[in-house]
Amino acid sequence: MEIKRGIAVSPGVAIGPALVLDTEGFRIPQRFIHPEEVAGEVDRLKRALAAAAAQTRDTQKAVTDKLGGQYGAIFGSHALMIADPGLAREVEGLIREQHYTAEYAVSRVIRRYAKAMESIDDSYLAGRVSDLFDIEKRILTNLLGQRREQIRHLSQSVIVLAHDLTPSETATLDTSRVHGFATEAGGRTSHTAIVAGVLEIPAVVGLGKFVTDVSGGDLVIVDGNRGLLILDPDEETLARYEKTRSQMKSFESGLNELRDLPAVTRDGVHVALLGNIEFPHESAHCLERGAEGVGLYRTEFLYLDKQADPTEAEHLDAYMTVLRALGPKRPVVIRTLDLGADKFLPRSEAGHHERNPFLGLRSVRLCLRNLTLFKTQMRAILRASAVGDVRLMFPMISTVLELRQCKMILAEVKEDLEYEGIAFNPDLPVGTMIEVPSAAILAEQLAREVDFFSIGTNDLVQYTLAADRNNEAVASLYNPCDPAVLRLIDNVVRAGRKAEISVNVCGEMSGDPQYTMLLLGLGIRQLSATPHNLPEVKRIIRSVTVEETVAVAQEAMRLETARDVNNYLREQTRRILPEVWN
Ligand code: PEP
Ligand code: MG
């Protein structure tokens, strides 16, 4: 048995056989398949060889057209080598007899050829070794691509293990088959982690190297509560986790009973609990968990699996689906496209690589550069506002001027709609995310410009501490309890109070019960989180008085390190609700 420690990003326990997606660095580990998988693996090999040969012939043609036949011939010989029946036979033999994965078998055979070539005292042949590695890479790219495709068409239950998963890959996991996942890379608030929470499957990220230690089909446990991946568990551990899994089910059904109870503190103060959604169908999750509305609709997920930018009709259709599910009274905060960085890119930016995308042309900056994109979405949001309590929110605002520019464009769109006689709410509430330190510092000025604030702690933490939210190597620095972050939140709440506008928190911090008392004590009266987390947060709210939370926040603000704040908050939460921690 081996236990790996990582970052817990979606709670629960999953137990099952591993489906390993290989790393992309082409360091193919020795990995075995089960005897019944041999036929499928040989089929995979054949498809990969055929695809690799065809691609190489395409390259031959392109190079010939551009540089002439003698250069194209290099790739012609590559194609011949890939299509060589001797190569296929040898690799297939290893799959059938040794039960190697196709990737490992290809790697073994080609590396043996390379060694043999290198040992011959012939400088021409030695120079051809790099051709072999080229061929290996071409075949492996095809095999690994297929492996990643496989997760969309699973026929049995698995736990996905990978170096990393993109938010799109995670969002398209078939949760009737994938019961959990664990990755080597990633951080607490990476979008992959957020999507895992939405899917409500246990997940652990940032585990560091482990993919090479597992074979497909090995039994593994993902402990999404404590951030553990357990490889090859012993019987006692397995029995313990099976028990935990059933206990958690009954704990969750207890939480569900909270759904219809109000989120009110013991001294009668109401806290609005809202849901974060990425897809319209999650409106149902919000209702199931007792959310009062949607506090953050991450509309950039409309780009998932899309070849073109969404049209006005597609935007509107998605918003109307949410409004129909929630009814006209519940608020729905639609955030304008927050594209770029680790999320999706609009078509116009495809192929545009930035050296530092998190500090680059992302989110509202991108929209301001692409007014067609921006206005198309604004039109749809305004049209939806005619039928429900829609509110519009801008992400990543970093200066007052930027916010004014966004509002100016909104005013233009309103004029257009008015001219066209299309209905919308002229008093559509407009808010801004506060997720860049400059915005938190200038909150007083920004508060005069908007109807509400929503603090995006996921980005606010990364930008305040200069610690990438996706990078497990700096995960210890990335801490929402850092005193610097607390001061910024405090500043935003004060500014909001002074301007008499509401202040919401919609980063992952708001769904973690450990921070509930702190946020209430700082003056927050509205939290928006992954619906799954709302019952636990509500239970904390219903167990405390505002006075108690103020005392907790004051003590937390006195502490000098994130570690001390964390320990203190954990202690206080355990005191109030011991079962949350057990
Ligand atoms: C945030 O940054 O806290 C936030 C809610 O936005 P996102 O996670 O989509 O960047
Ligand atoms: Mg953000």
Side-chain angles (χ1 to χ4, degrees), residues 251-508:
F251 176 65
E252 291 222 334
S253 59
L255 285 176
N256 284 343
E257 286 160 19
L258 282 165
R259 185 185 58 196
D260 301 322
L261 298 175
V264 175
T265 58
R266 279 190 5 247
D267 50 348
V269 175
H270 172 248
V271 180
L273 289 184
L274 303 145
N276 289 352
I277 64 168
E278 285 71 30
F279 306 100
H281 73 262
E282 290 172 72
S283 315
H285 297 186
C286 292
L287 296 176
E288 280 159 24
R289 309 290 170 145
E292 292 175 28
V294 168
L296 167 65
Y297 179 5
R298 289 184 167 100
T299 57
E300 53 280 1
F301 279 79
L302 282 166
Y303 274 76
L304 184 76
D305 279 345
K306 275 266 159 58
Q307 295 306 315
D309 293 334
T311 60
E312 182 179 327
E314 284 168 335
H315 276 289
L316 185 60
D317 185 43
Y319 309 154
M320 292 305 289
T321 308
V322 176
L323 291 173
R324 270 195 300 274
L326 294 186
K329 294 266 162 51
R330 288 194 172 86
V332 177
V333 178
I334 304 179
R335 181 174 73 179
T336 59
L337 296 166
D338 188 31
L339 294 160
D342 66 333
K343 287 192 259 192
F344 323 93
L345 266 182
R347 291 292 285 168
S348 54
E349 299 296 324
H352 172 90
H353 293 293
E354 290 182 299
R355 237 177 284 165
N356 207 338
F358 273 101
L359 301 183
L361 194 61
R362 62 169 287 210
S363 192
V364 81
R365 301 171 185 181
L366 234 163
C367 288
L368 284 170
R369 281 267 290 255
N370 189 338
L371 292 187
T372 311
L373 193 82
F374 209 9
K375 286 184 167 183
T376 301
Q377 182 175 29
M378 283 180 179
R379 282 177 66 93
I381 296 174
L382 280 162
R383 286 174 65 182
S385 74
V387 293
D389 183 358
V390 170
R391 304 170 189 190
L392 180 149
M393 177 161 75
F394 298 116
M396 271 289 287
I397 292 291
S398 49
T399 70
V400 173
L401 212 58
E402 209 174 29
L403 178 58
R404 286 188 188 150
Q405 259 178 299
C406 293
K407 284 171 53 189
M408 234 164 60
I409 293 160
L410 182 66
E412 281 171 27
V413 176
K414 280 184 176 178
E415 265 177 36
D416 291 348
L417 289 181
E418 215 167 280
Y419 182 75
E420 294 167 44
I422 296 174
F424 64 92
N425 172 13
D427 301 318
L428 169 86
V430 174
T432 179
M433 299 263 312
I434 303 286
E435 50 183 345
V436 180
S438 60
I441 293 163
L442 282 186
E444 219 175 291
Q445 282 78 354
L446 289 169
R448 290 187 214 119
E449 307 273 335
V450 286
D451 302 306
F452 64 92
F453 278 162
S454 193
I455 306 177
T457 48
N458 302 340
D459 277 317
L460 187 61
V461 174
Q462 83 165 339
Y463 291 129
T464 303
L465 290 152
D468 181 348
R469 63 195 265 188
N470 298 307
N471 185 344
E472 66 284 3
V474 291
S476 59
L477 277 174
Y478 184 99
N479 198 322
C481 290
D482 194 279
V485 177
L486 298 193
R487 273 156 188 69
L488 290 179
I489 296 177
D490 186 46
N491 192 51
V492 178
V493 177
R494 284 173 197 279
R497 195 179 296 141
K498 193 165 163 201
E500 297 182 354
I501 62 168
S502 63
V503 181
N504 179 44
V505 178
C506 65
E508 295 309 288

